[in-house]
Amino acid sequence: MSESTVTLLNNPYGQASFDLFRQKNKAFVDKSLSIKYLDDDSMSLYPVLLRPRRFGKSTFVRMLKCYYDISYKDRYEELFSSTGIYDLNLPTHNSYHVINFDFSAVSTGDLNKLLTSFFVAVSRGIDDFILRYPDFVFDYSKLDENDPATLFTKFSMAYRKFSKSQNLYVMIDEYDHFANEILSKDLELFLKITSKDGVLKTFYATLKSLTTDTIAKTFITGVSSVSLDSLTSGFNIALNVTSIDCFNEYAGFTEDELELLIPKLVDVERLGVSTKDIIERMKPVYDGYCFSRRADKTVYNSSMCLYYLTKVRQEQTFLNPEDYLDPACDQDGYKLEQLFNLSQKETAEFIIDTCLQGGMFYIGKLSENINLNKLKEYSREQLLSMLYYLGYLTIDSGKSSPGELALKIPNRFMSKLFARCTINFRFKDNAVFDTAPKLN
């Protein structure tokens, strides 16, 4: 191997602060061209984009905030020069007042803790807005800390006095994170918060009411559609655009993007291999995700790739990706257990067996709104849709047709993860396995 002295960029693994990437000399994949689709006149003003965990959704939201928010106007050149969207010079950049909420940290304890935590998540978004706009005056210290909907209503009243125009862009990251956590542990609490008068419906109904004179646009990300009915029945102007082909690559890395990224993070010459050699080894483990039947490309899980490239750089060795699986992508088995427990046993067993054998599933379409307040158990289509949203299954565009969607396990990582999680589900009540050692 040669003793090259290549100057590498820093790896952004586990970080989502787009506005700091250039300051911290971090590599990033340019996803900015997705903005032109959001700006298209035919696009909904209130899109919802779902992707599995650890796919780069939060980084994308941060990028949107930097692009659209007026307070970042002086940093537009710094943040977006050399990106695809910069060359288009669209008039929408830095033209909105953006408020963004991250619901990933909302507590999944009892109802009171959840309400207080939800209030805190909303207040953090408001505090960030106040920091970016010092002339904006809003005091919420005397409001009920169990009422996030009223908090946002009061904020909106103050905003109208501040802006005197309908120019607020609301961005919500991980809209369903806490709801999914609750669903996997406490079905009764989940049904309560997603019921007609539950906190989710109330909050999103408030958002909808404010689109008449305050909110200009919204952008919402999450993982699954199990809470989407609660969102859309209160905010029924939202549109799920998850499967539109123009957004297939908005999160995750394509092979072309990896070809540009890898030499920035790894000294391939020192390793004695080519970038294509590294991609070829990563492909069966991290690639294979497809989110539209019309897509002509698959994407790699971005967090898995960045974790692996971090290890390669640390060890200065061409490692086997299957030995370095990102622990942050290791989903908890109890979430799968909850899914299967809410379906007929025969349906669950058939799906498990087919997945373990590497089989294919065919459904008419993905279930977009799954309301557990209106059904007793998942249907086959709904269960397969949930496995798709969680990343255990993905679309096979080559075998799909306009009337039929083909689903399969995307790669070796998800195949191993699914097998490990379903072993515990299948055998937990079997006395023969009660004393067996747990998988690490």
Side-chain angles (χ1 to χ4, degrees):
M1 296 184 185
S2 65
E3 294 296 326
S4 63
T5 55
V6 175
T7 300
L8 300 173
L9 296 178
N10 296 317
N11 192 313
Y13 171 74
Q15 301 173 52
S17 300
F18 176 85
D19 53 320
L20 299 179
F21 282 179
R22 294 203 174 184
Q23 290 182 4
K24 302 295 184 180
N25 203 33
K26 295 187 183 298
F28 69 93
V29 170
D30 181 17
K31 297 291 185 179
S32 66
L33 282 177
S34 293
I35 292 172
K36 72 177 182 179
Y37 301 115
L38 293 175
D39 274 4
D40 192 278
D41 289 340
S42 64
M43 179 56 58
S44 169
L45 295 176
Y46 319 107
V48 179
L49 260 174
L50 307 176
R51 284 296 182 270
R53 294 174 63 237
R54 307 293 294 181
F55 251 80
K57 298 186 297 295
S58 296
T59 301
F60 187 81
V61 172
R62 298 287 185 91
M63 180 192 70
L64 293 184
K65 177 182 175 181
C66 292
Y67 180 82
Y68 285 111
D69 189 50
I70 293 171
S71 71
Y72 285 91
K73 187 173 184 178
D74 292 342
R75 298 185 62 191
Y76 180 65
E77 295 284 336
E78 170 202 345
L79 296 174
F80 289 96
S81 61
S82 78
T83 64
I85 201 65
Y86 180 85
D87 296 334
L88 296 182
N89 193 30
L90 299 178
T92 53
H93 77 81
N94 308 114
S95 60
Y96 294 92
H97 296 113
V98 174
I99 184 166
N100 63 295
F101 302 116
D102 180 357
F103 290 158
S104 64
V106 174
S107 171
T108 56
D110 60 33
L111 180 59
N112 287 333
K113 289 181 180 178
L114 185 150
L115 289 173
T116 300
S117 183
F118 197 175
F119 184 96
V120 169
V122 175
S123 67
R124 283 177 176 169
I126 292 172
D127 290 343
D128 174 67
F129 187 91
I130 292 171
L131 284 174
R132 285 181 284 117
Y133 295 99
D135 294 336
F136 176 73
V137 179
F138 178 56
D139 179 11
Y140 58 86
S141 59
K142 296 182 181 180
L143 294 181
D144 182 356
E145 295 188 358
N146 285 330
D147 191 351
T150 296
L151 170 62
F152 189 72
T153 299
K154 296 294 186 181
F155 163 81
S156 300
M157 293 170 64
Y159 172 78
R160 284 197 294 273
K161 294 179 181 179
F162 167 74
S163 175
K164 297 181 175 60
S165 64
Q166 187 174 348
N167 202 40
L168 188 65
Y169 200 148
V170 179
M171 299 181 182
I172 299 177
D173 190 18
E174 303 284 7
Y175 92 95
D176 61 337
H177 181 86
F178 66 96
N180 287 338
E181 286 292 317
I182 292 170
L183 175 59
S184 61
K185 299 173 183 177
D186 188 341
L187 178 59
E188 183 177 348
L189 179 57
F190 176 86
L191 294 176
K192 189 169 186 176
I193 67 171
T194 58
S195 64
K196 181 179 179 180
D197 298 317
V199 61
L200 281 180
K201 275 190 172 64
T202 302
F203 180 78
Y204 287 106
T206 299
L207 288 188
K208 179 186 175 182
S209 69
L210 293 169
T211 58
T212 59
D213 58 8
T214 307
I215 297 173
K217 299 180 72 173
T218 66
F219 181 81
I220 299 173
T221 74
V223 172
S224 79
S225 66
V226 74
S227 302
L228 200 54
D229 184 77
S230 297
L231 186 161
T232 54
S233 58
F235 189 57
N236 55 13
I237 53 178
L239 180 66
N240 185 352
V241 298
T242 298
S243 298
I244 298 179
D245 54 330
C246 66
F247 292 121
N248 182 61
E249 299 133 43
Y250 103 92
F253 298 153
T254 66
E255 208 157 290
D256 291 340
E257 290 167 341
L258 280 174
E259 286 188 14
L260 297 175
L261 178 67
I262 290 173
K264 297 176 182 178
L265 297 177
V266 173
D267 188 345
V268 292
E269 185 177 344
R270 186 182 182 91
L271 290 175
V273 299
S274 68
T275 298
K276 288 188 180 297
D277 290 334
I278 296 176
I279 291 175
E280 185 178 350
R281 187 169 285 191
M282 294 168 64
K283 187 175 182 63
V285 187
Y286 306 145
D287 188 24
Y289 297 94
C290 178
F291 301 100
S292 171
R293 67 172 180 81
R294 293 177 296 277
D296 57 4
K297 292 183 180 179
T298 56
V299 293
Y300 293 64
N301 180 296
S302 52
S303 185
M304 293 182 193
C305 292
L306 292 175
Y307 179 80
Y308 170 70
L309 294 172
T310 296
K311 292 299 182 180
V312 169
R313 182 165 169 174
Q314 289 173 348
E315 300 296 331
Q316 298 185 25
T317 304
F318 190 19
L319 303 170
N320 179 6
E322 292 193 66
D323 296 331
Y324 293 88
L325 301 177
D326 179 11
C329 294
D330 193 348
Q331 305 191 37
D332 298 308
Y334 63 80
K335 293 181 180 178
L336 272 185
E337 182 176 340
Q338 177 274 331
L339 287 180
F340 293 131
N341 282 335
L342 286 174
S343 64
Q344 291 187 0
K345 183 177 180 179
E346 295 78 9
T347 301
E349 292 290 345
F350 172 78
I351 289 175
I352 291 173
D353 287 338
T354 304
C355 283
L356 294 178
Q357 295 167 20
M360 190 82 66
F361 301 96
Y362 293 91
I363 60 176
K365 64 176 182 177
L366 293 167
S367 297
E368 292 191 353
N369 297 329
I370 302 174
N371 189 341
L372 292 179
N373 286 282
K374 297 180 180 179
L375 56 89
K376 294 181 179 180
E377 61 188 17
Y378 291 119
S379 66
R380 174 182 176 275
E381 182 179 277
Q382 289 168 334
L383 184 53
L384 290 171
S385 297
M386 286 299 297
L387 291 172
Y388 161 82
Y389 289 122
L390 293 174
Y392 289 103
L393 295 176
T394 197
I395 294 171
D396 187 324
S397 59
K399 296 184 178 179
S400 296
S401 65
E404 194 172 53
L405 205 59
L407 300 176
K408 64 178 181 179
I409 290 184
N411 51 51
R412 291 179 189 170
F413 174 83
M414 295 310 295
S415 181
K416 287 185 175 183
L417 183 59
F418 183 86
R420 190 184 68 188
C421 292
T422 53
I423 283 174
N424 290 332
F425 165 71
R426 276 186 150 175
F427 300 124
K428 74 170 189 171
D429 295 327
N430 193 322
V432 174
F433 297 93
D434 284 349
T435 58
K438 292 184 178 180
L439 294 173
N440 294 322

